[in-house]
Amino acid sequence: MCYCNPNWIISLCEATKDDLSLLLAWRNHPEVMKYFIEQKGPIVWENHCAWWHKRRNRIDWMIVVDTGQSVRRVGSVNASNLETLSPSVGIFIGEVTLWGQGVAKKALVLALDWLNRMRYVQAGATIVKSNERSIRLFESVGFVRIGEAREGEWEYRKSL
């Protein structure tokens, strides 16, 4: 198994409107898109912007990798349903060349640490059943499968 370079700094910064083009490009990448159960094809700009403007009770972060030579955004992690004691967490690495490098795990831990500091008691996630990488990722940080969510998805929970 590969891990990202221990000298890399992984951080989260809140996503802004300026990140919309990059988020859209990642979401429309075929290897990323296939793991979004509600996304049946490429997203068009107008729909993407409409989604952004109607988000509520949610925080979206960009995953930033600082290699010492460059700093770049490589993915996104979010927490939704923030009005509950058990928000839902989602993550994806848009830079597919970094899949399997440990970046997502570090970013997910940072998001869970934030939820813990905000005094949430539990986190949830729904994962497409065929997304073995995400299943391994979430289980590696302590999420437990509790059953089927929607058709084709598993539901996971983790106490914080």
Side-chain angles (χ1 to χ4, degrees):
M1 178 174 267
C2 292
Y3 294 99
C4 62
N5 185 313
N7 296 320
W8 289 3
I9 298 169
I10 310 298
S11 61
L12 304 179
C13 66
E14 195 162 347
T16 70
K17 204 168 128 179
D18 293 337
D19 296 310
L20 282 175
S21 293
L22 189 54
L23 288 166
L24 180 64
W26 289 335
R27 286 288 305 268
N28 283 337
H29 187 288
E31 288 301 307
V32 175
M33 184 188 333
K34 71 182 179 184
Y35 295 118
F36 285 90
I37 202 159
E38 293 179 351
Q39 186 175 341
K40 303 299 183 213
I43 301 170
V44 298
W45 178 252
E46 293 77 15
N47 292 348
H48 185 57
C49 289
W51 161 81
W52 177 263
H53 290 294
K54 66 181 179 186
R55 295 171 310 130
R56 300 288 181 267
N57 299 315
R58 174 184 172 115
I59 186 167
D60 290 87
W61 294 283
M62 298 298 285
I63 302 166
V64 180
V65 174
D66 181 346
T67 66
Q69 297 177 335
S70 67
V71 177
R72 63 189 179 124
R73 288 162 157 70
V74 300
S76 179
V77 62
N78 69 74
S80 59
N81 303 319
L82 294 175
E83 75 281 8
T84 71
L85 292 177
S86 182
S88 297
V89 179
I91 188 168
F92 70 93
I93 301 298
E95 295 290 331
V96 297
T97 59
L98 292 178
W99 286 9
Q101 300 297 310
V103 173
K105 185 171 185 174
K106 287 186 175 188
L108 182 57
V109 167
L110 290 172
L112 294 171
D113 287 346
W114 182 87
L115 289 171
N116 189 38
R117 285 193 315 276
M118 297 296 112
R119 301 187 185 259
Y120 289 98
V121 297
Q122 192 178 75
T126 55
I127 303 171
V128 173
K129 289 180 178 181
S130 64
N131 192 342
E132 295 175 13
R133 286 182 185 275
S134 271
I135 290 169
R136 282 193 309 271
L137 167 65
F138 278 82
E139 289 178 350
S140 77
V141 297
F143 277 80
V144 175
R145 184 184 305 169
I146 61 170
E148 192 170 39
R150 296 176 287 195
E151 184 178 334
E153 289 183 321
W154 294 118
E155 184 173 355
Y156 281 82
R157 291 273 178 253
K158 173 184 173 48
S159 294
L160 298 174

